[in-house]
Amino acid sequence: MNVSPAERQTRVDLAACYRLCAFEAWDDLIYTHISATVPGEPNHYLINPFGYQFDEITASNLVKVNTKGEIVDSNSRYRVNPTGFAIHGAVHRARPDANCVMHLHNTAGIAVSAQENGLLPLSQHAMRFMGHLAYHDYEGVALTESEGKRLTESLGKHPAMLLRNHGTLTVGRTIGEAYVVMATLIKACEIQIAALSSDQLHLPKQSVIQKAADELHDQGAEEGLLEWPALLRMLDRFDESYKD
C-alpha cells in the first residue's frame, strides 16, 4: 500500500485497536466503529470495512472516507456503512482534537446507560469520569444531521459519553488515549453492574469523590502513553497479522 509513514502508523494503531476490542469481546458482530484521522489529510478518516468483524481488521483493509462516510478511493474493493459513520463524522467535525473516535455496544456500558442515575462513583475507575462524562438520549437508529449536532452538543469537551440505551463513546488525541479511556469507562460500568447485586452500597464522601476526580483527570494530561505500547506488545505476542 502506497501511503505515507504517518498514515501507515495510524493504520497499524487503528487495526490494533480493533483487534484489542475483539480480544476483550467488546465487539458486536460487524457493527460499531472506531475511526481515526489521516495525518496530513484534512477531513479524511480511516474506518473498518463494512461486513468485517473486528478480529479481521488489518492495516491494509481499513477504508479511507470523508466526513460524509463516502469512500475516497473509487477503486476500493471494500464498502463502509455511511450510517455507522454518521456519529463519527459529527464528532470529528465538532472536535478537532478528536483524532480517534470509538463507539461500542458493550453490554456493561449499555446497561449503565439505561440506568436513570447513569454512572455512579462506586469505584476509582468511575471517579475518573465524575464531572467529565456526557450523556445523550436515544433518538433511534438512523442519525440525522440535526441529531449529530445535538449529540456533539451533549458531548461538549468531555472525553467520554454514555449514549442512553445504546452504548459508549470516547474520543482521544491519539488512538491509544481513546482506547484507554474506553477501557476505564467499561471497567467502571462492569464494577457498577456487579456492585448493584447488593442493596447496601457504600459511596465515598462527596469531597473525596471530587478530590479523586481531579487527581485522576490530571488537568487533562494525555492518557495511554504507557498503556498503549504495553497493549501492542501483548497483541504482538498473540498475533501480528493486524499489521498486514
Side-chain angles (χ1 to χ4, degrees), residues 18-39:
Y18 276 101
R19 295 295 187 93
L20 288 165
C21 287
F23 181 82
E24 295 289 349
W26 295 342
D27 49 353
D28 180 15
L29 298 177
I30 61 171
Y31 303 104
T32 75
H33 308 274
I34 311 166
S35 60
T37 57
V38 179

Side-chain angles (χ1 to χ4, degrees), residues 48-172:
N48 51 321
F50 192 43
Y52 283 60
Q53 291 191 290
F54 279 19
D55 63 359
E56 298 180 282
I57 303 303
T58 65
S60 61
N61 67 24
L62 288 163
V63 185
K64 189 182 296 187
V65 299
N66 59 24
T67 54
K68 296 180 180 179
E70 299 167 335
I71 297 176
V72 173
D73 180 6
S74 59
N75 296 318
S76 175
R77 62 189 181 90
Y78 302 108
R79 62 193 184 106
V80 297
N81 181 356
T83 303
F85 190 70
I87 290 175
H88 295 254
V91 175
H92 280 298
R93 285 193 298 271
R95 290 282 299 273
D97 63 318
N99 288 317
C100 181
V101 179
M102 293 185 69
H103 168 48
L104 301 177
H105 294 163
N106 56 288
T107 302
I110 297 174
V112 172
S113 80
Q115 295 172 1
E116 187 62 35
N117 292 323
L119 187 65
L120 303 172
L122 295 171
S123 67
Q124 182 167 280
H125 292 78
M127 283 180 242
R128 182 260 175 267
F129 295 101
M130 296 300 103
H132 303 286
L133 181 66
Y135 293 86
H136 181 70
D137 286 341
Y138 188 65
E139 297 188 29
V141 176
L143 187 81
T144 62
E145 186 174 339
S146 60
E147 184 184 353
K149 186 175 185 297
R150 290 190 293 275
L151 184 147
T152 55
E153 287 173 350
S154 297
L155 178 62
K157 297 297 183 182
H158 294 306
M161 180 161 65
L162 287 179
L163 300 165
R164 293 287 192 180
N165 314 100
H166 185 175
T168 53
L169 184 143
T170 63
V171 301

Side-chain angles (χ1 to χ4, degrees), residues 8 11-20 22 53-62 232 234-244:
R8 167 66 185 169
R11 284 177 172 273
V12 169
D13 283 339
L14 186 55
C17 192
Y18 276 101
R19 295 295 187 93
L20 288 165
Q53 291 191 290
F54 279 19
D55 63 359
E56 298 180 282
I57 303 303
T58 65
S60 61
N61 67 24
L62 288 163
L232 294 183
M234 180 196 73
L235 191 57
D236 286 348
R237 289 195 293 272
F238 290 99
D239 182 4
E240 293 189 66
S241 64
Y242 69 94
K243 299 177 182 177
D244 295 344

Side-chain angles (χ1 to χ4, degrees), residues 128-224:
R128 182 260 175 267
F129 295 101
M130 296 300 103
H132 303 286
L133 181 66
Y135 293 86
H136 181 70
D137 286 341
Y138 188 65
E139 297 188 29
V141 176
L143 187 81
T144 62
E145 186 174 339
S146 60
E147 184 184 353
K149 186 175 185 297
R150 290 190 293 275
L151 184 147
T152 55
E153 287 173 350
S154 297
L155 178 62
K157 297 297 183 182
H158 294 306
M161 180 161 65
L162 287 179
L163 300 165
R164 293 287 192 180
N165 314 100
H166 185 175
T168 53
L169 184 143
T170 63
V171 301
R173 289 161 286 190
T174 65
I175 293 166
E177 181 170 53
Y179 180 90
V180 168
V181 174
M182 180 66 78
T184 307
L185 179 58
I186 290 174
K187 185 76 170 181
C189 291
E190 290 173 341
I191 292 169
Q192 179 162 321
I193 297 302
L196 290 177
S197 63
S198 169
D199 60 0
Q200 297 183 16
L201 298 176
H202 175 79
L203 275 73
K205 295 178 181 178
Q206 185 57 46
S207 60
V208 174
I209 294 170
Q210 186 60 58
K211 178 177 181 290
D214 292 342
E215 292 171 342
L216 293 165
H217 184 247
D218 195 19
Q219 298 183 333
E222 184 178 322
E223 299 183 56

